[in-house]
Amino acid sequence: LDSTYFPLKPEPDGYEYSESFLHGFSPVMIGDERLGTLYLKSDMKAINERFMIYSIITISVIILSLLITFLISRILQKNISDPIIALADTAKIISEQKDYSVRAAKTGKAELAMLTDALNMMLEQIETQNLTLSEYNQQLSEKVRELEQFAFVSSHDLQEPLQIISNFVTLLEEKYAGKTDDETRQYISFIVNATTRLHILIKHLLDYSRIGKEISFQKVDCNILVKEIIAESESVMKEKNASVTSMTLPVVFGDKDNLKQ
C-alpha cells in the first residue's frame, strides 16, 4: 500500500482537514465488539473548484445586478428626478427673485410634462395679472394726482371771490352799524355764517389735496376729537336743531387732521 494514500497505522477516531483532503478514522462495530477501523479520505479539490465556480457566478450575478440597478436609476433620474429638480429650481428662482416671467423647461414625459405645462400656465397667468395690476396702479396714481391738482386749484380759485364777499360784508357791517333793522342784521349773519362754512370747506379741500404727503401719525383720543368737532360745528347744529351723543371711544393711531376731517 502506498503510504501517500493510507496511514501506516490507525489513529484516533475522527475527521480533519489536511491540505486539500478530508480524512479520518471510523470504527467498524458489530454490537459492542469492534472489529476494526475504517479509514476514509476524500479529495476536496473538486469541491473547492465547484465552490470557486459558484463564488464566481455569485459575484458575477451581484455585479450584474448592481450594474442593472445603476442603469435603471440613471434612466429614472433622467426621466423623473431631473424634471422634478428642474421644477424645484424654477420655483426657487421665482420665490427669491419674484420674477414670474421665468418658465420651467419641459422635460420628461406624461405626468411630469403635464405638471410642467400646468406650472408654466400658472406663471403666465400670474405675470399677466401682475402686469394688469401694475397698469391699474399706474392709472390710479395718475387719477389721484389729477384729483389732488384739481382740489388744490379749485380751492385756490374759490378763495379769491370768497374773500371779496367777506370783505364787503365786513364793510356793510361797519358802514351801517346801528342803522339796520333785525331782519337785515339776520341776513348779514346768514352771509357771514355761509362764508365761514365755505372757508372751512375750502380748507378741508386743501387738506384733502395734501393727503399722503403730509400725514403725521400719532395717538389720537377720539373722545377729545369728537368734542372738538361738536364745538366747531355748534353754529350749524343750532341752525339745524341737532345734537350729538357718543359712547366712550378708543385711542387710535393715525393722523388727527384727517380723522377729524
Side-chain angles (χ1 to χ4, degrees):
L1 295 178
D2 188 350
S3 61
T4 303
Y5 295 97
F6 298 99
L8 298 177
K9 61 179 181 178
E11 296 181 4
D13 296 342
Y15 295 89
E16 65 179 5
Y17 288 99
S18 175
E19 297 180 357
S20 61
F21 295 92
L22 173 65
H23 63 95
F25 297 87
S26 179
V28 178
M29 305 289 292
I30 295 180
D32 295 333
E33 182 180 0
R34 181 168 182 162
L35 299 179
T37 300
L38 177 65
Y39 175 70
L40 297 174
K41 185 176 183 180
S42 175
D43 189 349
M44 300 296 293
K45 183 177 181 180
I47 296 177
N48 290 337
E49 290 177 353
R50 187 176 300 174
F51 178 76
M52 183 64 68
I53 293 173
Y54 290 162
S55 299
I56 293 173
I57 293 173
T58 302
I59 293 173
S60 299
V61 170
I62 292 174
I63 293 174
L64 182 61
S65 300
L66 292 175
L67 181 60
I68 294 173
T69 302
F70 175 76
L71 293 176
I72 293 175
S73 66
R74 292 291 296 177
I75 295 173
L76 292 177
Q77 181 178 4
K78 182 178 180 181
N79 294 332
I80 299 177
S81 300
D82 289 349
I84 292 177
I85 292 174
L87 289 175
D89 291 340
T90 303
K92 183 178 180 181
I93 293 173
I94 296 170
S95 176
E96 292 177 351
Q97 301 180 6
K98 307 300 181 183
D99 183 4
Y100 296 100
S101 63
V102 177
R103 295 292 182 268
K106 187 174 180 180
T107 56
K109 299 179 180 179
E111 290 82 1
L112 287 175
M114 293 174 61
L115 179 61
T116 302
D117 289 339
L119 176 62
N120 288 334
M121 184 179 298
M122 181 185 67
L123 292 175
E124 184 176 353
Q125 292 175 351
I126 293 175
E127 184 182 14
T128 302
Q129 291 173 357
N130 285 347
L131 291 175
T132 303
L133 183 60
S134 178
E135 293 175 358
Y136 285 153
N137 287 337
Q138 182 65 27
Q139 295 174 4
L140 180 60
S141 297
E142 293 175 358
K143 294 295 183 182
V144 170
R145 285 195 297 270
E146 292 175 0
L147 185 59
E148 290 175 351
Q149 185 66 22
F150 170 77
F152 182 79
V153 172
S154 298
S155 61
H156 279 278
D157 290 344
L158 290 173
Q159 279 182 336
E160 183 179 356
L162 183 60
Q163 188 62 44
I164 293 174
I165 295 173
S166 298
N167 292 338
F168 275 103
V169 171
T170 302
L171 290 174
L172 283 173
E173 288 181 322
E174 293 176 353
K175 184 174 182 179
Y176 296 100
K179 299 179 182 180
T180 56
D181 55 19
D182 292 341
E183 186 176 8
T184 303
R185 285 194 295 272
Q186 186 179 14
Y187 291 161
I188 293 174
S189 177
F190 287 158
I191 296 173
V192 171
N193 290 335
T195 54
T196 300
R197 290 199 300 271
L198 191 53
H199 269 300
I200 294 174
L201 289 174
I202 291 174
K203 178 181 180 299
H204 291 169
L205 195 59
L206 280 171
D207 291 340
Y208 173 78
S209 69
R210 291 191 291 266
I211 289 178
K213 297 179 180 178
E214 300 178 4
I215 294 180
S216 175
F217 289 98
Q218 57 186 337
K219 289 184 178 180
V220 181
D221 189 335
C222 292
N223 300 288
I224 298 176
L225 195 62
V226 169
K227 291 180 180 178
E228 292 178 358
I229 295 172
I230 293 174
E232 294 176 4
S233 306
E234 184 177 1
S235 60
V236 179
M237 292 173 62
K238 285 182 179 180
E239 182 183 341
K240 300 296 183 180
N241 193 25
S243 62
V244 177
T245 59
S246 66
M247 301 175 63
T248 302
L249 299 174
V251 175
V252 299
F253 189 72
D255 182 86
K256 181 179 179 181
D257 293 336
N258 287 323
L259 288 172
K260 188 174 182 180
Q261 179 67 22

